[in-house]
C-alpha cells in the first residue's frame, strides 16, 4: 500500500512564525505536490517537485517555499506565517505522467491555524 | 486554460437514492479524467478514472463515462449509502509533458438514513 504521511494533523502557530510542514512518501514517486484546501475554492496547487532539488511554482506560491533534498521527502515552508494561511494543507505524490501510472496519492492533511 | 467545473453542493440524498454529480471540463489537449473522494478527516483517494473517450471508469458501485463530445465526466451511483457521504472531486491530467492535475472545487454529498 502506498503511504503518504504528513508530520502533523493539527498545528497552531502565531503570526510571523516560521512553519515547516513535512511530507514523506514510501513509493519512490518522482513527483510530489503541496496543495491547500479551502471551502469554496477546492484544491489549489502551491508548489510541486518532479525530482530531488527540482521545484516549480504552482498557482499560489506567494508566501511559501519548498525543499526537496531527498526523493521521499518534500517540505513546505511558511517563512512568516500570516492569518490568511490558515488552511488545510495536503501533500500528494505520483509517478511522472509519462509512466502511465497516473494515480495521485494523498496524505491525510495538516490543518494549520495561524493566530 | 484548463479547468474543471462541478457544483459545490451540498447534495443531500436519502439512502438508496440515485446519485449524479455533474462534471464538465475545458482542456487544450486530450486529458485523462478522474474522480477522487475525500472522506471526513482524510486526504483524497482515487475513486475511478478514464483515460480516453468513451472509456467508463467504475469502482464501489460508482461509474463515470468519458464523453469527449460534451466534455463531461459525470459521476453516478444507482443506490447511495450513508457511508458514501464525502466530498467528491473531479479532476483532469493532460497528456504530454504537463505534470499538474487540475481539480474541480469538490461536491459535498450527504446521505441521510
Amino acid at each position: 500500500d502506498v503511504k503518504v504521511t504528513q508530520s502533523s494533523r493539527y498545528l497552531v502557530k502565531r503570526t510571523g512564525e516560521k512553519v515547516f510542514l513535512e511530507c514523506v512518501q514510501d513509493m519512490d514517486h518522482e513527483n510530489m505536490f503541496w496543495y491547500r484546501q479551502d471551502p469554496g475554492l477546492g484544491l489549489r496547487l502551491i508548489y510541486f517537485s518532479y525530482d530531488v532539488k527540482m521545484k516549480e511554482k504552482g498557482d499560489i506560491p506567494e508566501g511559501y517555499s519548498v525543499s526537496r533534498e531527498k526523493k521521499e521527502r518534500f517540505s513546505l515552508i511558511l517563512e512568516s506565517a500570516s492569518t490568511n494561511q490558515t488552511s488545510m494543507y495536503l501533500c500528494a505524490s505520483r509517478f511522472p505522467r509519462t509512466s502511465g501510472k497516473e494515480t495521485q496519492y494523498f496524505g491525510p492533511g495538516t490543518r494549520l491555524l495561524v493566530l | 486554460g484548463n479547468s474543471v467545473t462541478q457544483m459545490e453542493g451540498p447534495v443531500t440524498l436519502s439512502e438508496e437514492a440515485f446519485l449524479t454529480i455533474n462534471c464538465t471540463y475545458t482542456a487544450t489537449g486530450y486529458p485523462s479524467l478522474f474522480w477522487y473522494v475525500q472522506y471526513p478527516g482524510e486526504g483524497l483517494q482515487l475513486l475511478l478514472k478514464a483515460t480516453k473517450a468513451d472509456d467508463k471508469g467504475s469502482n464501489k458501485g460508482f461509474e463515470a463515462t468519458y464523453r469527449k463530445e460534451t466534455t463531461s465526466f459525470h459521476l453516478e451511483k444507482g443506490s447511495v449509502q450513508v457511508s458514501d457521504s464525502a466530498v467528491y472531486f473531479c479532476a483532469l491530467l493532460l497528456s504530454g509533458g504537463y505534470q499538474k492535475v487540475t481539480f474541480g472545487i469538490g461536491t459535498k454529498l450527504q446521505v441521510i438514513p
Side-chain angles (χ1 to χ4, degrees):
Chain A
D1 246 10
V2 175
K3 268 234 163 50
V4 180
T5 56
Q6 295 182 228
S7 50
S8 305
R9 294 298 302 268
Y10 301 95
L11 270 182
V12 181
K13 296 291 180 181
R14 298 219 171 264
T15 302
E17 277 192 78
K18 191 168 186 175
V19 181
F20 293 87
L21 302 182
E22 304 282 338
C23 175
V24 177
Q25 51 94 3
D26 67 357
M27 273 300 289
D28 207 33
H29 288 159
E30 284 83 358
N31 293 2
M32 296 188 75
F33 306 83
W34 275 107
Y35 297 88
R36 61 177 286 176
Q37 182 179 12
D38 300 287
L41 297 175
L43 270 70
R44 292 181 292 167
L45 181 65
I46 304 171
Y47 267 97
F48 74 100
S49 169
Y50 49 89
D51 204 347
V52 175
K53 296 193 188 293
M54 306 301 284
K55 61 186 179 185
E56 275 202 33
K57 293 179 180 178
D59 302 316
I60 51 162
E62 296 78 21
Y64 303 94
S65 63
V66 290
S67 172
R68 187 142 181 227
E69 297 296 319
K70 293 186 177 180
K71 191 175 186 179
E72 66 271 20
R73 188 179 298 269
F74 191 35
S75 302
L76 180 69
I77 303 153
L78 287 66
E79 294 289 342
S80 177
S82 63
T83 55
N84 63 13
Q85 292 178 310
T86 290
S87 186
M88 169 72 91
Y89 289 88
L90 291 167
C91 176
S93 70
R94 192 186 80 225
F95 287 114
R97 176 68 179 82
T98 49
S99 71
K101 300 174 185 176
E102 302 167 318
T103 300
Q104 199 150 295
Y105 295 87
F106 284 82
T110 295
R111 191 169 290 282
L112 173 66
L113 172 63
V114 182
L115 300 173
Chain B
N2 307 310
S3 65
V4 175
T5 302
Q6 59 179 120
M7 63 180 295
E8 186 175 3
V11 174
T12 302
L13 294 174
S14 297
E15 208 164 20
E16 299 184 1
F18 185 86
L19 168 71
T20 300
I21 301 177
N22 289 340
C23 170
T24 57
Y25 68 90
T26 303
T28 52
Y30 299 98
S32 294
L33 300 174
F34 307 83
W35 279 100
Y36 282 83
V37 59
Q38 184 180 32
Y39 297 104
E42 298 182 13
L44 282 70
Q45 57 186 268
L46 180 69
L47 180 60
L48 54 83
K49 69 176 184 181
T51 56
K52 59 183 188 298
D54 299 324
D55 268 2
K56 179 186 278 189
S58 60
N59 186 24
K60 298 182 181 180
F62 291 88
E63 292 182 341
T65 301
Y66 189 142
R67 301 283 187 206
K68 187 162 174 278
E69 64 277 11
T70 54
T71 61
S72 64
F73 192 55
H74 304 322
L75 183 68
E76 296 182 336
K77 187 176 186 185
S79 176
V80 294
Q81 305 301 312
V82 172
S83 56
D84 294 326
S85 298
V87 182
Y88 293 81
F89 291 88
C90 187
L92 68 82
L93 176 63
L94 284 177
S95 59
Y98 298 94
Q99 302 287 355
K100 296 186 289 185
V101 175
T102 300
F103 287 90
I105 63 169
T107 301
K108 185 172 183 179
L109 171 66
Q110 296 175 328
V111 180
I112 53 178

